[in-house]
Amino acid sequence: MKVELKCISCGAVFPPSMVIYTCPKCGSLLDVVLSLDELQGVVSWNVFRARCFNVWRYRELLPVFDDSKIVSLDEGGTPLIKCDRLAKWVGARSLYIKFEGANPTGSFKDRGMTVGVTKALEYGAKAVACASTGNTAASMAAYAARAGLKAIIILPWGKVALGKLAQAVMHGAEVVGIEGNFDQALAIVRSLSERHGIYLLNSVNPWRLEGQKTVAYEIIDQLGGAPDFIILPMGNCGNISALWKGLKELLELKLVDRAPRLVGVQATGASPVVDMFKSGSEVFKPVENPETVATAIRIGNPVNWSKAIRALRESDGLAEKVTDEEIIKAQQMIACLEGLGVEPASAASIAGLKKLVEEGSLDANSTVVCICTGHLLKDPEQAVRASRQPLKVKAELDEVERALSYIISTAHALPLPSS
Ligand code: AN7
């Protein structure tokens, strides 16, 4: 299949053999452009559904040229779970969670890494690198290990959740913490990659987004059609960019008859894209010192902001910001009402939905899919901090009974966090 890299600003086109991350002419972001004409009539839901349910079910739409180099951990194929109890709390009629925590390293990043690391092998790279708030690091470290590549990771020191750090170091990556934030780490790793020819795997890399777009295919595949809204958290904005690209490809291939409206959610302390979208401004203003409990999306200068704005505008979408309190409340409700453990950034999607329904900007009768991007166990320290602590007693029955007296006397219901 014919594949090109195309600048989203000046339209310049480059061959896929060039190792570039941004446009060599104007510096803007690149899109991978597939010639979908060749696939009309070749791909169909029947063709896809005859295969295993993972990212590679959609093989024709993934621009990898050498199948023997594919680095996979059976990523994707995550559950789409109907959440009726949570829907009631949110005030919506029909709500699904796309549970990306079920990916091999516990986040949606694996979808992008399977393609990104395969590209690294195709290009003949020996080492890969990324800056990360944690999940990209964990995923890249795992896929690099499987591919036999060296992995270099730059992190904001002290601001990466424990589970993610544990993964990065256990998979053997070289990890450097900087006394600074993610945005600074990204600037450093971009220079590092350029100077030393190390393959860059942040979401500025357009190939990574090719893997991540499969979440769009899966949602439509699982629902058998388009929902009214898809809601997701935004950090560096790779995911919303990829989601929209995937949906547009399905539209062009006539594999879906309409596009869902996209909703991007950020934390109030790190909301440059939401602010720009809501104000209707053409000027992007980064946030100097981003801050939020959702460390995954503690990003003030998202590299893909222009693709995110494009996705929100083209899909007639919405954007919303939520406080740390709203994020934690939503995380508890997802956990207690549905049994789904998600990390704070992921809960931002549900918190955003609740706010938009309450404001009346999102019709409560809509069918909504919220993408929950990462697993609860990514940030165990935050989960323990946010929850009731276990009681410690002597190893005696009556001590345990006394500790449980309230529950035992009201055994009809476990207490849930008050709404
Ligand atoms: C759980 O790992 O940026 O808008 O360096 O870990 O595509 O950046 C993580 C981002 C949402 C935001 N949810 O996605 C990183 C990193 C979780 C995340 C996002 C992230 P993008």
Side-chain angles (χ1 to χ4, degrees), residues 182-195:
F182 169 83
D183 304 302
Q184 294 165 298
L186 182 57
I188 290 169
V189 85
R190 286 178 79 168
S191 304
L192 205 65
S193 147
E194 204 169 297
R195 277 196 200 181

